[in-house]
Amino acid sequence: MNPCGKPNTFDPFFKYLPLKHNHSSGKSLSSIILASSAGTLIEWYDFFLFGSLATIISTTFFPKENPTASFLATLATFSAGLIVRPLGALIFGRLGDLIGRKHTFMVTLSIMGFCTIGMGFVPGYDSIGYLAPLIVLILRLLQGLALGGEYGGAAVYIAEHSPDNKRGFLTSWIQSTSGLAFILSVTVILFIKSLMPEKTWLQWGWRIPFIASVLLIGISVFIRSKMAESPLFAKAKSEGRTSKNPLRDSFRNKSNLKIVLLAFFGLTLGGGVIGWITFYAQSFFLKTLMLDYSQANTIIIIGILLGVPFFFLFGWLSDKIGRKGLMMFGMLTGVLTFKPIFQEMHRIAYPENDQKIIVDSVQNISSNTFQSNTTQYVYNDGSSRTVLKNNSSEIIQSVRLSETSQWKMIFMIFLLQFIFTLAYGPLAAYMVELFPLKIRYTSISLPYHFGMGIFGGLAPYFASYLADKAKAAGKSDYYLAGLNYPIVLTTISVIVGIIYLRENDSRFSFQPIGKKLLNLIRKWLGLLWIASGILSIWFGIIEVGIPRLLSGRQEDIVFGAILTFIITPSISIGFLIFGKYALSGEYRA
């Protein structure tokens, strides 16, 4: 059954497909998974390189006069590639439903590779001025378009080769690629950085990870070129059962559009911001806690690596006990624990009542009006801090944790990743099962990339911006302010998911209240969603967006533009349509 209470539209052919071998394609499932996952891994690797090198990129391609504004502009440029992902989903989703899954994500991989390699050759701001950030933005937009078509194709391709009782586990390999790609990108950065002096790295060495991706792209293109088309799609196409207009059939058909909206509000909105919280943690380590660069990234790598196996565990478990409960539990856990986890990370880096001991004064600079010295402190737990003293003020330049504190921090990252695997591991299988074969690529891609791309992708930017504003306002817990954005959006998904979603497989359905009462709740909550859409317009545009646009401050103008022209219209229109459908009784149990 689908979430609207109608028979499942997922094709029954799956139960006749063997696990070890597919007769239509002549390939084993393991090679199919490898081909799809390898390409998606490399796509994410390329994308994460930019985010991981945001600090260097901000000083290379943007003016250096205002470091905070340049860093936020870099995050906004990174996010721009995520914002256009829904457009890429429409373009390549349509192609995938018209001409096939395999050829479409061959194209997306090639575009992504070209843009990533190009990033390594763009001249800096000092050489070509504002052309530098413009070229970088264009490359990011092209990358976003490509990634918008990649995920849906890979997930559908694996699912359409998978048996019913293993679909959650097999598609979880696609889900794991985001975490693995993050590890790969950071590992490559740390390795190349270790091979050269710091000055060389900052001047041009950071470009090597972008250029070196040509090897990974070549391998992935070769692997994918050997794969056949999805047997279910090939069969449907030969029988004339594919869609002639996937966009119309997906989004102008009310019965399908209401499921698209439900997938967005109940799944990908919350799942998207949860996924990007770990990525924000890297920025939190480097910009807020001022952790040593190598140690911070080592913590991230180990924490994520420890969490990756749980993608497979929860994908497998979703085949045994159902998918909805796992995803909702993951999102609810995120809502309740994000602030305590980040609060604990701050406490680990800056423990109370530690006695500092001066061990070395490494530099002294003085003049008639200015005195400065850099001093290193070692704390009684073995951690250390390097502090720059300017007259009466102290600026922390770097913090290095003790071994015990480092493992505590690794556990915090693992908890974030564990929550993500709960919410995200079963997601691909669940979404594939929502839509019919002929429009599956298109229908999956749009809500996924609105949630993961726009709202999830902007989480690091919004979190950094809100934290900077709270710090400027003098709030002692300013570092928690950025978490309000993901917590609010995830709460929406928890409410919508628990009340409106149901298991695709009736064997795992759980109905705590009667259908009549549930239908009344679903219906009259429509008023709340409509009111939320109206309030979003007022708050996002009138109260906050336009005043920021008119502020004259660069970082506020960027924030106001994103809020006014991207975030608010998307969420408001979605709420209004979703609320209208709910109020008219479209989401009956």
Side-chain angles (χ1 to χ4, degrees):
M1 300 289 286
N2 69 21
C4 298
K6 296 181 180 180
N8 196 336
T9 56
F10 198 76
D11 303 86
F13 309 122
F14 279 108
K15 60 187 178 183
Y16 301 115
L17 291 176
L19 176 62
K20 298 296 184 183
H21 187 78
N22 182 275
H23 296 292
S24 299
S25 65
K27 299 289 183 180
S28 68
L29 273 176
S30 58
S31 62
I32 290 165
I33 292 169
L34 175 63
S36 300
S37 299
T40 307
L41 173 72
I42 293 168
E43 297 257 3
W44 278 113
Y45 162 81
D46 293 340
F47 222 73
F48 281 137
L49 278 181
F50 187 96
S52 297
L53 295 170
T55 302
I56 295 177
I57 289 173
S58 69
T59 60
T60 302
F61 297 121
F62 294 88
K64 300 180 177 66
E65 290 79 12
N66 188 337
T68 299
S70 294
F71 181 72
L72 289 173
T74 303
L75 288 181
T77 304
F78 172 77
S79 300
L82 296 163
I83 290 169
V84 299
R85 279 168 58 173
L87 179 59
L90 292 177
I91 295 171
F92 294 109
R94 177 179 180 273
L95 290 176
D97 284 326
L98 284 174
I99 66 174
R101 286 55 165 128
K102 172 195 168 181
H103 297 294
T104 300
F105 60 49
M106 282 286 289
V107 173
T108 63
L109 180 64
S110 301
I111 294 174
M112 190 75 175
F114 168 79
C115 294
T116 303
I117 296 166
M119 276 292 301
F121 293 100
V122 179
Y125 180 84
D126 291 340
S127 299
I128 59 174
Y130 281 102
L131 277 177
L134 178 61
I135 294 172
V136 170
L137 177 61
I138 292 171
L139 291 175
R140 296 306 302 161
L141 293 175
L142 289 173
Q143 284 180 315
L145 289 174
L147 191 54
E150 170 64 23
Y151 174 85
V156 167
Y157 190 73
I158 290 180
E160 290 180 351
H161 284 83
S162 303
D164 272 345
N165 63 345
K166 296 184 183 295
R167 193 177 307 126
F169 172 69
L170 295 177
T171 55
S172 68
W173 289 84
I174 288 289
Q175 306 304 85
S176 71
T177 55
S178 60
L180 292 172
F182 190 83
I183 293 171
L184 179 62
S185 65
V186 175
T187 301
V188 169
I189 289 170
L190 291 177
F191 174 71
I192 294 176
K193 187 173 183 290
S194 69
L195 299 179
M196 59 187 67
E198 182 72 13
K199 184 178 180 180
T200 303
W201 167 255
L202 294 175
Q203 286 178 340
W204 57 266
W206 62 268
R207 296 176 181 270
I208 296 176
F210 287 103
I211 299 171
S213 66
V214 65
L215 300 175
L216 299 174
I217 296 295
I219 293 171
S220 185
V221 168
F222 175 78
I223 294 174
R224 283 191 173 180
S225 67
K226 302 298 181 181
M227 304 309 298
E229 183 54 82
S230 156
L232 293 184
F233 180 84
K235 179 177 173 63
K237 190 171 184 178
S238 67
E239 295 174 352
R241 294 189 293 108
T242 56
S243 173
K244 292 181 174 57
N245 193 331
L247 295 179
R248 179 195 62 200
D249 294 342
S250 292
F251 309 117
R252 294 183 62 183
N253 179 344
K254 184 173 72 173
S255 63
N256 197 73
L257 177 59
K258 66 184 182 183
I259 301 177
V260 169
L261 289 168
L262 190 57
F264 168 64
F265 281 111
L267 293 171
T268 64
L269 184 64
V273 293
I274 285 178
W276 286 96
I277 282 296
T278 306
F279 187 67
Y280 169 64
Q282 184 192 42
S283 175
F284 180 75
F285 281 177
L286 297 174
K287 302 291 289 185
T288 302
L289 302 185
M290 303 301 296
L291 294 190
D292 173 79
Y293 184 87
S294 296
Q295 187 179 51
N297 284 295
T298 299
I299 290 169
I300 295 283
I301 289 172
I302 297 174
I304 292 179
L305 193 60
L306 292 173
V308 164
F310 290 91
F311 282 112
F312 311 122
L313 173 63
F314 294 128
W316 170 83
L317 194 59
S318 74
D319 291 324
K320 307 299 180 184
I321 65 172
R323 316 196 200 286
K324 174 188 169 180
L326 292 172
M327 293 186 293
M328 292 302 106
F329 181 67
M331 288 190 221
L332 180 60
T333 304
V335 169
L336 298 175
T337 62
F338 280 159
K339 284 194 174 181
I341 288 174
F342 276 79
Q343 200 165 27
E344 178 63 15
M345 288 195 293
H346 190 276
R347 191 200 65 77
I348 292 170
Y350 297 94
E352 297 178 359
N353 302 320
D354 249 351
Q355 297 298 314
K356 56 188 178 184
I357 306 170
I358 299 178
V359 296
D360 190 19
S361 182
V362 297
Q363 183 181 11
N364 286 281
I365 304 172
S366 63
S367 66
N368 292 333
T369 59
F370 177 80
Q371 290 187 347
S372 174
N373 71 286
T374 301
T375 305
Q376 186 180 57
Y377 297 103
V378 173
Y379 286 73
N380 57 23
D381 66 347
S383 63
S384 63
R385 296 179 199 170
T386 302
V387 177
L388 177 66
K389 289 186 175 182
N390 293 326
N391 295 331
S392 60
S393 65
E394 287 189 353
I395 301 174
I396 297 176
Q397 292 187 306
S398 177
V399 174
R400 186 161 188 87
L401 303 177
S402 66
E403 185 175 351
T404 300
S405 295
Q406 177 173 306
W407 280 105
K408 289 179 181 178
M409 201 73 86
I410 288 170
F411 181 68
M412 294 297 106
I413 296 298
F414 165 75
L415 287 181
L416 292 176
Q417 189 70 4
F418 181 84
I419 292 168
F420 180 43
T421 60
L422 260 173
Y424 193 63
L427 181 68
Y430 188 93
M431 290 191 66
V432 167
E433 293 166 347
L434 289 177
F435 302 103
L437 181 146
K438 67 178 185 177
I439 54 173
R440 184 173 294 146
Y441 200 145
T442 305
S443 296
I444 287 174
S445 296
L446 190 69
Y448 176 83
H449 288 297
F450 258 104
M452 291 295 296
I454 292 181
F455 291 89
L458 285 169
Y461 171 80
F462 271 80
S464 296
Y465 176 86
L466 294 173
D468 284 341
K469 287 298 177 182
K471 184 177 182 180
K475 295 183 179 180
S476 59
D477 59 349
Y478 70 92
Y479 56 90
L480 298 178
L483 299 175
N484 293 329
Y485 173 83
I487 288 174
V488 169
L489 296 186
T490 306
T491 300
I492 293 172
S493 280
V494 170
I495 295 172
V496 172
I498 289 176
I499 294 175
Y500 291 90
L501 287 177
R502 61 182 300 174
E503 289 291 352
N504 289 333
D505 192 326
S506 59
R507 292 176 301 166
F508 306 125
S509 293
F510 174 67
Q511 195 74 39
I513 61 177
K515 287 187 178 181
K516 186 175 181 180
L517 177 59
L518 180 59
N519 286 334
L520 283 175
I521 294 173
R522 289 180 174 181
K523 177 179 179 178
W524 293 111
L525 273 177
L527 292 174
L528 174 63
W529 309 130
I530 292 172
S532 297
I534 296 171
L535 289 173
S536 296
I537 295 172
W538 170 260
F539 181 78
I541 297 177
I542 307 299
E543 189 73 16
V544 178
I546 292 178
R548 293 290 195 278
L549 280 171
L550 300 177
S551 68
R553 295 182 295 273
Q554 181 181 342
E555 61 269 27
D556 288 340
I557 292 172
V558 173
F559 176 83
I562 292 173
L563 192 63
T564 301
F565 300 114
I566 299 171
I567 290 293
T568 302
S570 300
I571 197 78
S572 299
I573 293 171
F575 266 138
L576 292 173
I577 299 174
F578 181 59
K580 176 187 174 184
Y581 285 158
L583 196 58
S584 62
E586 293 291 339
Y587 295 106
R588 298 184 63 84

